[in-house]
Amino acid sequence: RARDVCSEDFVESAKRKKIPEMNEYDEIDANLYSRQLYVVGEDAMYAIAKSGVFIAGMGGLGAEIAKNLVLAGTKVVTIQDNKVAQIEDLGTQCFLRAKDVHDGTNRAMATLSRLAELNPYVTVDVSLEPVTLDSDMSFLQKYQCVVLTEASVQLQMKVDEFCRSQSPQIKVLSCCCHCRLIVIN
């Protein structure tokens, strides 16, 4: 549903949120993004390049979404996870290594540097703060989009309610435990 990401609401949201503004030195690299520019257009590409996305859950799906957003040139991608790498993760999460499992490394921390290497134009941050039903969701205000993977339905609903209450609304994408992608708002 790439068209939703490039909608006018998303573009306007990117303009009004507190993501660092592009300046005259932040030109879109036409060599790197030539195919993407052709498909989505320059306005959408600038909106992507000014956007911030928060991704909770660095299992296989969360890591794949993060990878695609980094390669797309999103300005800021913040990854969050509270789980340590397990042997099962090695079959689904391409950024984890056996050493991460052996050392008991947090999945987000293990993913951070490997993900950041994919695109020097993208700032990749990590959050180790748990996102729970008791969390203050105000930290999400600086993002245009929130992606939840491996989250309970109750947490999905709480995050969705918060994001819908913002002006402009923050887009929320979520995946339930049965791995069917749902667009909540």
Side-chain angles (χ1 to χ4, degrees), residues 22 26-34 37 45-46 119-121:
M22 291 180 70
D26 293 334
E27 291 298 317
I28 293 174
D29 186 340
N31 291 324
L32 180 62
Y33 298 116
S34 61
L37 276 164
M45 201 52 221
Y46 274 105
N119 192 337
Y121 296 106

Side-chain angles (χ1 to χ4, degrees), residues 129-141 158 162:
E129 288 296 317
V131 180
T132 67
L133 292 172
D134 298 326
S135 297
D136 175 9
M137 298 293 164
S138 63
F139 75 94
L140 296 173
Q141 291 174 326
K158 179 177 180 180
F162 173 81

Side-chain angles (χ1 to χ4, degrees), residues 84-140:
V84 297
Q86 301 292 317
I87 192 77
E88 301 84 23
D89 293 323
L90 298 177
T92 59
Q93 215 271 40
C94 64
F95 296 106
L96 296 178
R97 306 291 181 263
K99 183 176 181 346
D100 300 324
V101 173
H102 180 266
D103 294 345
T105 306
N106 173 283
R107 294 190 307 184
M109 289 302 296
T111 302
L112 178 65
S113 64
R114 297 170 188 139
L115 187 61
E117 289 174 359
L118 296 176
N119 192 337
Y121 296 106
V122 176
T123 300
V124 181
D125 295 324
V126 69
S127 171
L128 298 178
E129 288 296 317
V131 180
T132 67
L133 292 172
D134 298 326
S135 297
D136 175 9
M137 298 293 164
S138 63
F139 75 94
L140 296 173

